[in-house]
Amino acid sequence: MTGILKIAFKLLVNDKGKFAALLMGILFAVFLMVMMTSMFAGILKRASATVLNVGAQVWVMDPAVNNVVSSIPMPDYVLDAARSIPGVNYAVPLYSGAALVKLHDGTYQAVTVLGLDDATLFGRPPLLEGRIEDIYAENAFLVVKDSEFAKLGNPRIGSEFEINDHRGTIVGIARANTSGLFGIPTLYTTYSRAVTYIPSTRFTAAYILIEPKSPAALPRIRAEVAKLGYEALTHDEFIQKISHFYTYETGLGTNVLLMTIISFVVGLSISGQTFYTFILENLEKFGALKAIGARGRELVVMILFQAGFTALTAYGLGVGLATLMITLARMRLPDYAAEVTYFNLGLAFVMVLIIAAVSSLIGIRKVTRIEPFDIFRG
Amino acid sequence: MATALQAVSLSKWFGEGEARTYAVHDVSFEARFGEMLYIVGPSGSGKTTLLSMISGILRPNAGQVVVEGQDLWQLPDDDIARFRLHKVGFVFQDYHLFPRLTTAENVAIPLILQQRSWNEALQVATQYLEIVGLQGKQALPPVKLSGGEQQRVAIARAIASQPDILIFDEPTASLDGDTGKRIVSFVKEKILNDHRCILIVTHDSRIFEFADRILQMEDGQIHGLVSGRNP
């Protein structure tokens, strides 16, 4: 059988024009599909930046919260009630809010402020510079060194700014797993300072972060929190909820889905048409092979191999090109949100397999119907 | 001379009822090893249909094709394909060489279909190219060869698997008179032997001189079977 495949390979790649057209069609489709889905994955990851960076196992929130930025503050009794649930190791409040800071040069910059529980500093980020204890110092803030860092004038330890008529001083520079979605810098401080410095509503805890004693305690915690009228979600569930919101409630997912489908259809059309032409041009030759003694299934294997080889080569090139583009874009644009995930690659792979299957099906139908007698008749 | 194949009351028709048209009607003959048998006749006389039926390509509506004591058309499809691969060599009118393969690769195709290894098949193909006088041209694509040379590549492909029956469909149709004669003369001298039967469909009277027997067809029936040289 390998000899047959070698013939199929040579028939395919030696027809350079057709082979290039086939590759380009699928490559283009893969490139667009991977780019679109990667950008969407990047957006979703950034939308969950706070959840990823804080890293608590269980998040308690108002059920109406559908993304991390639009938190709905909860009364203090929820924190006390959460702490009293059997199976809770500890529970702490998290402040999450927006503020405007006035920089040294007089310009204003919007920031996200996260207030960590004073006693435990649970959810604190790893520091690149400075000491975490300094967060208790007067006016102390940590700044996250992400892609938005420069918007605060590349602050150093000791840099000062004004926040709601209060002085703020940078005491540490933190590392974050991922930047936020909305292109604004992030500051960390203590919970008490956050609620003091930033004007807020009567209730101040945006989220309650819970560390369960064991995973087995989770159902009980969920149920008890639900009795209070709130919702307890695991880290992954919260990310999923945010993803669901952006995917289905903002139009973003529909747009990306449409673009992905269009890419798929374009790729399918180009490769299907080109492969069909390729088969038509070689139809008499396949008929001659049949007359010589090739069995129908051998011709089917040849066509499947040709379609499969083209699809996989184009897939590899398409993924490579998309990765290169994303890498280059990130070098120039730190805010560029795109993530090549295994899911994206898998999705593009499945779509490429469908393209290959449809293209080869067209060819197989033609080739299996050709009668060797037609070759004699001319 | 031993019988290579026997056609017994072969018929092929298209359409049914009043629309039924016979392409071949109740044809019987035998082809023998060591002979060059021509099937001649005007266009539409049924000679290509007859050739297709006896070579295992077109299923007859009635009659038998007996090879080695067995009716070919009683075999399963895979066995008929195997018969074509191992017992029959085809030289098509338009050669049907693969332009994207080298001449050696073209000749090696039947051997590869017989599951011979790629290298072995190419080696054998090169030997057969030498037999047909195309030594040194194994790496060229067929399009770089003249019409006569392409015909020789097709012959090399047909004989590479050492078939018992060789079938030529209008072998001189695409060649000038001299080249056509040279090719058929070459086939008679070098390719035909006591263990092989060559069937040629043609209406080119210039090559009748090479025939051992000539089967004349008209309107799907045999109108005469004459011994060769001067029909």
Side-chain angles (χ1 to χ4, degrees), chain A residues 25-26 28-30 32-33 257-273 351-352 354-355 358-359:
Chain A
I26 303 177
F28 182 62
V30 170
L32 285 179
M33 286 190 286
L257 180 69
L258 276 177
M259 274 306 294
T260 307
I261 290 172
I262 290 168
S263 312
F264 170 71
V265 171
V266 167
L268 182 63
S269 312
I270 296 174
S271 65
Q273 171 66 32
M351 289 187 154
V352 161
I354 294 171
I355 290 174
V358 173
S359 303

Side-chain angles (χ1 to χ4, degrees), chain A residues 1 3-4 6-7 10-11 14-15 284-285 288-295 297-298 372-373 375-376, chain B residues 48-49 52 57-58 78 81 84-85 90 92 96-101 105 109 112-113 115 118 157 169:
Chain A
M1 195 59 95
I4 286 281
K6 211 160 180 175
I7 291 176
K10 282 175 175 268
L11 289 179
N14 287 355
D15 190 348
E284 283 193 344
K285 306 294 182 288
L289 277 180
K290 229 175 180 176
I292 289 169
R295 285 165 295 179
R297 60 177 168 274
E298 285 171 324
F373 179 54
I375 302 304
F376 271 124
Chain B
T48 299
T49 306
S52 301
I57 280 179
L58 183 66
D78 271 7
R84 292 201 300 267
L85 182 59
F90 293 94
F92 305 105
H96 289 302
L97 299 174
F98 287 87
R100 311 288 176 197
L101 302 180
E105 287 163 352
I109 284 173
I112 289 163
L113 290 173
Q115 310 295 329
W118 182 264
R157 182 175 69 183
D169 185 25

Side-chain angles (χ1 to χ4, degrees), chain A residues 94-332:
Chain A
L94 178 74
Y95 175 88
S96 174
L100 272 180
V101 299
K102 189 176 179 185
L103 302 177
H104 214 64
D105 60 3
T107 58
Y108 285 89
Q109 172 63 48
V111 292
T112 297
V113 177
L114 294 175
L116 303 171
D117 176 49
D118 291 59
T120 61
L121 298 182
F122 181 64
R124 63 184 179 272
L127 291 185
L128 297 169
E129 290 175 45
R131 296 178 312 148
I132 192 65
E133 306 90 275
D134 292 342
I135 201 169
Y136 295 115
E138 202 176 351
N139 306 322
F141 284 83
L142 307 175
V143 60
V144 173
K145 193 168 188 180
D146 56 9
S147 54
E148 322 305 336
F149 180 72
K151 291 176 182 170
L152 288 174
N154 291 310
R156 288 175 294 181
I157 290 178
S159 295
E160 291 187 337
F161 55 89
E162 194 180 301
I163 181 165
N164 199 31
D165 293 334
H166 293 275
R167 184 196 301 269
T169 307
I170 300 296
V171 296
I173 296 174
R175 183 173 63 79
N177 289 328
T178 179
S179 307
L181 179 62
F182 299 108
I184 56 176
T186 304
L187 296 174
Y188 280 87
T189 188
T190 59
Y191 185 87
S192 56
R193 184 174 297 118
V195 299
T196 309
Y197 282 24
I198 300 165
S200 56
T201 55
R202 185 156 64 95
F203 304 135
T204 51
Y207 301 98
I208 291 166
L209 311 178
I210 289 179
E211 184 72 18
K213 283 179 180 163
S214 73
L218 208 54
R220 176 80 185 271
I221 295 170
R222 258 189 236 279
E224 295 295 329
V225 169
K227 280 182 197 167
L228 298 168
Y230 291 90
E231 187 175 37
L233 296 176
T234 63
H235 172 269
D236 290 345
E237 287 168 345
F238 193 18
I239 290 173
Q240 212 170 356
K241 189 176 187 184
I242 295 164
S243 298
H244 185 274
F245 170 73
Y246 282 101
T247 306
Y248 300 108
E249 294 175 48
T250 62
L252 200 59
T254 315
N255 288 341
V256 170
L257 180 69
L258 276 177
M259 274 306 294
T260 307
I261 290 172
I262 290 168
S263 312
F264 170 71
V265 171
V266 167
L268 182 63
S269 312
I270 296 174
S271 65
Q273 171 66 32
T274 313
F275 199 69
Y276 183 65
T277 313
F278 173 77
I279 293 294
L280 276 188
E281 282 181 7
N282 285 293
L283 202 55
E284 283 193 344
K285 306 294 182 288
F286 280 112
L289 277 180
K290 229 175 180 176
I292 289 169
R295 285 165 295 179
R297 60 177 168 274
E298 285 171 324
L299 301 182
V300 169
V301 167
M302 283 177 80
I303 291 172
L304 285 177
F305 174 79
Q306 287 173 332
F309 177 81
T310 309
L312 292 181
T313 307
Y315 174 76
L317 291 172
V319 169
L321 185 63
T323 310
L324 180 70
M325 285 294 288
I326 290 170
T327 309
L328 289 176
R330 274 196 185 147
M331 285 165 71
R332 299 289 301 170

Side-chain angles (χ1 to χ4, degrees), chain A residues 284-293 371-378, chain B residues 48 51-52 55 57 84 88-98 109-110 150-155 157-158 166-175 201:
Chain A
E284 283 193 344
K285 306 294 182 288
F286 280 112
L289 277 180
K290 229 175 180 176
I292 289 169
E371 289 293 336
F373 179 54
D374 298 333
I375 302 304
F376 271 124
R377 269 199 305 212
Chain B
T48 299
L51 197 69
S52 301
S55 59
I57 280 179
R84 292 201 300 267
V88 186
F90 293 94
V91 179
F92 305 105
Q93 185 177 335
D94 298 327
Y95 319 138
H96 289 302
L97 299 174
F98 287 87
I109 284 173
Q150 288 185 33
Q151 175 81 290
R152 283 166 186 262
V153 175
I155 293 170
R157 182 175 69 183
L166 256 183
I167 287 176
F168 285 74
D169 185 25
E170 302 286 3
T172 56
S174 312
L175 304 173
V201 160

